Amino acid sequence: MRVIFLRQQSEILGQIYDKQVDSCYLIGKNALNCTLFQDLMFFFLPLLNDMKNIVVSLPLCLATMAAILGVSSQAQAGSLTTEATNSGTYLRTGSTTFTKVTGTNGSGYLTGRVVANQENRSYFVFTIDPDMSKANRTILSAVLTLANPNPQGADLSTGRTLSITNVTTAINTLTTGGTNTVNQGVFNDLGVTGTGNQVYGTTTVASTPVVSSVAVNLNQNNILTTIKNRAGAQLAFGSAITLNGTAVNQSIFSGTTASNSRQLTINFADAFLGTNGNQQFGNILIGQSNNKTVTLTNTGEVGSTLTGAIGPSSDPTILSSLSPGQTVNFSLASGASQDRTFIYTPTVRGSNQTTIGVLSNDIDTNILFTGRGVAPENEILQSNTNVGDVRIGTSKTATVQVQNIGDGNTSGQAEVISNLNGTSSLGGSSVNFQATSGSAGNFSLTDNQTRNFDIVYTPTTHGTESELLTLAFTNGSDDGTNQSQTKNFSITGTGVGPAFQSGSPPNSTLDFGQVDISKTKMLDLVVSNVTQDESSVESLTGLTILNAFFEGPDADLFSLLNFMPGVVIAKGNSLPLQVLFNAQSNGSKNAILRIVTDQGVAFQQVGDSFTYNLTATAVPEPSSLLGMGIFVTTGMLLKRKRHPFNKG
């Protein structure tokens, strides 16, 4: 018969009845209220009345309330009481030989003497519960209780010592050292291995007062280890009484196999592994670290010992602060804890995790450590660095677009270190490239923020030019490691445009010479677009003659034949112009021809103008001069005729 005591104040009380093994257990898991327990007892009461097992009474409701209210967080040790499955007596039949008593007389057990020189030694056989071998269980103590003492003889007043020994000697054989030797071994009827003749416990037995039972604490010579090792099997003990050397009968036990007369009580404590669970480092900025500590606690019963080892990390970014690559052993008494701290130092953006294995004599478990490395990270979304052909006098913008695709701000750290930071600068000798406002100097981008670095190209001459744009990131490298990084971009552009040319170069003089009054004279002026640029796009290389007009004191005497303002001269083409002078009055005439174009500016906008000096001399016609001479001569003759008396 076995009795299991309730072991944890915070355990559920239940009953399991197993008819096959004829045993009833009270077991514990979690708190159960008193009403439920009473209901269970009511249900099982008829069964209990028919059972031989003993259920030890406990203050169940008090234990349950303590569990509910959390009065005690430390479980109490358990206890198991089992009755002997066999017992008997060996009788000394010679000076060194004992014979097992069989038959009717062997149904009980007898220790001591009932007749002179006849020494009786008892043995007790117990079946050890298999659970005693549990790795997390510590055997705290064992007590052998023998009931119904029946002292015989008159020589017990001074007390006698009852000794419990192991049973290792072969049947019917005993070699000790004399009939009165204390602690003699008793018979290996079970064949249990071990060292013989060792004392496991002793107690003094007196004749007065007569007690109902004698309990022997078995605490010597590793009996507790032996009990654990024999779990699930049988274990035998032998008993002998210290004799005083007289012939007087000295029997202290004359017991039977009645219930409760031969009991072994084993007190034990179970260790339980408790942890603080999986650990999360959170989002850690690359370049920084965070610590998390796993705590192992023996949450088991008083007297238990939790032993085991906590393993290292297989992830190099998550390493223990001490003995990084080593397994650390632990041995914890009930309620004791041991910490192991792990440091997370991410090296690249992304998640990291490692499983820390914990081995123990209770259970094995894994503790998951997780963390995420975060950082700013630059990405070039677009890079329009070659603006191509740009008409002289106009502008075009090259753009490098950068985005912080990182997650550094999720670390909760200051923006000065969690933003994407750097400096933008231009390097080169050309003044035709200029950074717009905010495109040069320091920059700082938060997560997902985009920044355009705009470089404006305004050519002033024909041909290709380039400039170097440098983005020097102080963090947020594009490999996710949050390192510094420099990226260079060559900004290029080609200046194009028309090239004005005329048969008579600008600022030269167009001389009409002498022109008879009332006559006109025309001179040719050919204007050409002689650009050598590759582009033939009209808006880029087309030359527009926006207007042409005359300036000066005699501007009204000059004109252009068939000229239409706004005419466009394509690359390589020419426009013939006819400049006309109309002589109206005698004398020298002067004016300026001004041709307005879109050279040097946007297409068809007012740009360069070109001037030509115009000169002409208006003279009378020759016929007019002859007629005037005849008129003058005739007049003189007529005058002479009017003065006939004039003798001169």
Side-chain angles (χ1 to χ4, degrees):
M1 180 178 65
R2 298 187 302 175
V3 178
I4 298 179
F5 288 80
L6 296 175
R7 294 196 291 120
Q8 283 195 331
Q9 293 181 354
S10 61
E11 295 183 2
I12 289 182
L13 305 177
Q15 298 186 24
I16 300 176
Y17 178 58
D18 188 343
K19 292 183 178 180
Q20 293 181 349
V21 297
D22 190 28
S23 59
C24 181
Y25 304 91
L26 285 178
I27 63 173
K29 293 297 180 186
N30 292 309
L32 179 72
N33 60 45
C34 296
T35 301
L36 179 57
F37 176 77
Q38 292 171 354
D39 293 341
L40 290 171
M41 289 300 292
F42 177 79
F43 177 77
F44 283 107
L45 186 59
L47 298 175
L48 295 175
N49 290 334
D50 296 332
M51 297 172 61
K52 295 180 180 181
N53 296 321
I54 298 175
V55 178
V56 178
S57 176
L58 291 177
L60 300 175
C61 292
L62 179 60
T64 303
M65 288 300 295
I68 295 174
L69 298 176
V71 173
S72 174
S73 61
Q74 193 168 351
Q76 301 301 311
S79 180
L80 170 68
T81 296
T82 184
E83 292 194 13
T85 58
N86 192 11
S87 64
T89 301
Y90 283 92
L91 173 65
R92 188 179 61 157
T93 58
S95 60
T96 60
T97 303
F98 283 75
T99 302
K100 186 175 182 180
V101 178
T102 60
T104 304
N105 293 332
S107 61
Y109 58 90
L110 180 65
T111 299
R113 283 182 175 178
V114 292
V115 297
N117 297 323
Q118 177 179 306
E119 184 177 353
N120 298 276
R121 296 189 176 184
S122 301
Y123 66 90
F124 308 94
V125 181
F126 298 92
T127 299
I128 306 301
D129 190 287
D131 284 347
M132 290 302 109
S133 64
K134 292 171 59 175
N136 66 328
R137 179 160 290 177
T138 300
I139 308 298
L140 302 177
S141 63
V143 178
L144 176 65
T145 302
L146 302 176
N148 304 318
N150 184 18
Q152 299 181 27
D155 195 29
L156 291 178
S157 59
T158 58
R160 289 292 178 262
T161 300
L162 179 67
S163 299
I164 303 301
T165 64
N166 62 341
V167 180
T168 58
T169 307
I171 295 177
N172 298 328
T173 302
L174 182 67
T175 56
T176 56
T179 57
N180 294 331
T181 301
V182 181
N183 304 333
Q184 291 181 344
V186 184
F187 320 112
N188 184 14
D189 63 311
L190 299 178
V192 179
T193 60
T195 303
N197 301 330
Q198 293 195 8
V199 177
Y200 285 153
T202 61
T203 187
T204 300
V205 182
S207 60
T208 56
V210 177
V211 294
S212 60
S213 63
V214 173
V216 182
N217 292 320
L218 306 178
N219 54 13
Q220 300 181 27
N221 296 316
N222 298 321
I223 178 59
L224 305 184
T225 301
T226 302
I227 291 174
K228 190 175 182 71
N229 292 338
R230 295 299 297 167
Q234 291 183 317
L235 177 65
F237 300 106
S239 65
I241 190 171
T242 302
L243 304 178
N244 63 5
T246 68
V248 179
N249 295 342
Q250 301 174 67
S251 174
I252 63 167
F253 282 104
S254 181
T256 68
T257 59
S259 298
N260 308 328
S261 62
R262 309 148 302 159
Q263 293 183 332
L264 176 65
T265 298
I266 303 173
N267 299 311
F268 58 88
D270 289 346
F272 299 109
L273 172 64
T275 74
N276 56 343
N278 296 335
Q279 301 297 308
Q280 296 180 348
F281 293 102
N283 293 342
I284 306 303
L285 191 66
I286 294 173
Q288 297 189 343
S289 300
N290 191 24
N291 298 349
K292 287 294 180 181
T293 298
V294 58
T295 300
L296 307 180
T297 303
N298 181 0
T299 61
E301 300 159 338
V302 176
S304 66
T305 300
L306 181 70
T307 60
I310 178 171
S313 167
S314 60
D315 190 327
T317 66
I318 305 174
L319 296 176
S320 58
S321 56
L322 298 175
S323 304
Q326 304 298 318
T327 297
V328 175
N329 298 325
F330 58 84
S331 180
L332 305 174
S334 177
S337 298
Q338 181 166 320
D339 294 338
R340 190 170 193 188
T341 298
F342 289 83
I343 303 174
Y344 177 44
T345 308
T347 57
V348 66
R349 286 183 62 214
S351 298
N352 298 96
Q353 67 177 37
T354 188
T355 298
I356 306 300
V358 179
L359 306 178
S360 76
N361 59 340
D362 175 28
I363 60 172
D364 297 337
T365 188
N366 292 319
I367 299 175
L368 181 64
F369 282 76
T370 58
R372 182 173 181 82
V374 298
E377 182 175 337
N378 78 81
E379 181 178 62
I380 307 302
L381 297 184
Q382 60 174 304
S383 178
N384 302 323
T385 57
N386 187 353
V387 298
D389 293 334
V390 182
R391 187 179 177 103
I392 294 171
T394 65
S395 297
K396 198 170 182 181
T397 301
T399 298
V400 175
Q401 188 177 64
V402 177
Q403 183 178 20
N404 177 5
I405 64 170
D407 47 12
N409 297 148
T410 64
S411 66
Q413 300 298 311
E415 290 187 349
V416 67
I417 58 174
S418 63
N419 278 6
L420 175 64
N421 300 308
T423 302
S424 170
S425 61
L426 284 177
S429 59
S430 176
V431 296
N432 293 334
F433 294 91
Q434 295 294 325
T436 63
S437 177
S439 295
N442 297 331
F443 59 85
S444 183
L445 306 181
T446 58
D447 292 350
N448 299 316
Q449 185 179 358
T450 300
R451 171 71 63 84
N452 286 347
F453 296 91
D454 296 327
I455 308 301
V456 178
Y457 174 52
T458 307
T460 58
T461 59
H462 295 265
T464 300
E465 299 178 272
S466 64
E467 191 80 352
L468 186 66
L469 170 64
T470 298
L471 299 180
F473 299 98
T474 57
N475 63 348
S477 54
D478 57 16
D479 59 0
T481 60
N482 202 26
Q483 303 300 307
S484 61
Q485 185 177 25
T486 299
K487 292 185 175 181
N488 294 314
F489 304 88
S490 179
I491 310 298
T492 60
T494 301
V496 298
F500 180 92
Q501 183 175 293
S502 59
S504 295
N507 299 320
S508 64
T509 299
L510 298 179
D511 190 353
F512 288 84
Q514 291 184 347
V515 180
D516 294 339
I517 295 174
S518 299
K519 301 292 184 180
T520 61
K521 188 175 182 179
M522 184 176 64
L523 295 179
D524 291 329
L525 178 64
V526 178
V527 175
S528 302
N529 182 358
V530 296
T531 180
Q532 299 300 307
D533 299 329
E534 293 184 1
S535 175
S536 296
V537 177
E538 185 179 79
S539 61
L540 293 177
T541 57
L543 176 66
T544 304
I545 306 300
L546 297 172
N547 202 356
F549 54 90
F550 298 92
E551 302 172 331
D554 301 311
D556 57 341
L557 299 179
F558 297 89
S559 61
L560 287 175
L561 294 181
N562 301 322
F563 171 71
M564 295 292 294
V567 64
V568 177
I569 305 174
K571 170 186 174 182
N573 291 343
S574 299
L575 174 66
L577 297 176
Q578 290 82 38
V579 184
L580 186 66
F581 172 67
N582 185 10
Q584 295 182 3
S585 60
N586 189 31
S588 177
K589 308 300 179 182
N590 296 285
I592 294 175
L593 171 61
R594 184 177 297 275
I595 299 177
V596 181
T597 72
D598 60 358
Q599 178 174 290
V601 295
F603 183 59
Q604 296 188 339
Q605 300 299 309
V606 177
D608 294 337
S609 62
F610 303 91
T611 61
Y612 300 86
N613 298 312
L614 305 179
T615 183
T617 301
V619 296
E621 292 185 74
S623 59
S624 298
L625 293 175
L626 177 60
M628 183 178 296
I630 295 174
F631 175 76
V632 172
T633 302
T634 303
M636 293 176 62
L637 293 174
L638 290 174
K639 187 176 181 181
R640 288 177 179 170
K641 288 180 178 182
R642 289 182 188 145
H643 304 282
F645 300 108
N646 188 352
K647 298 180 178 179

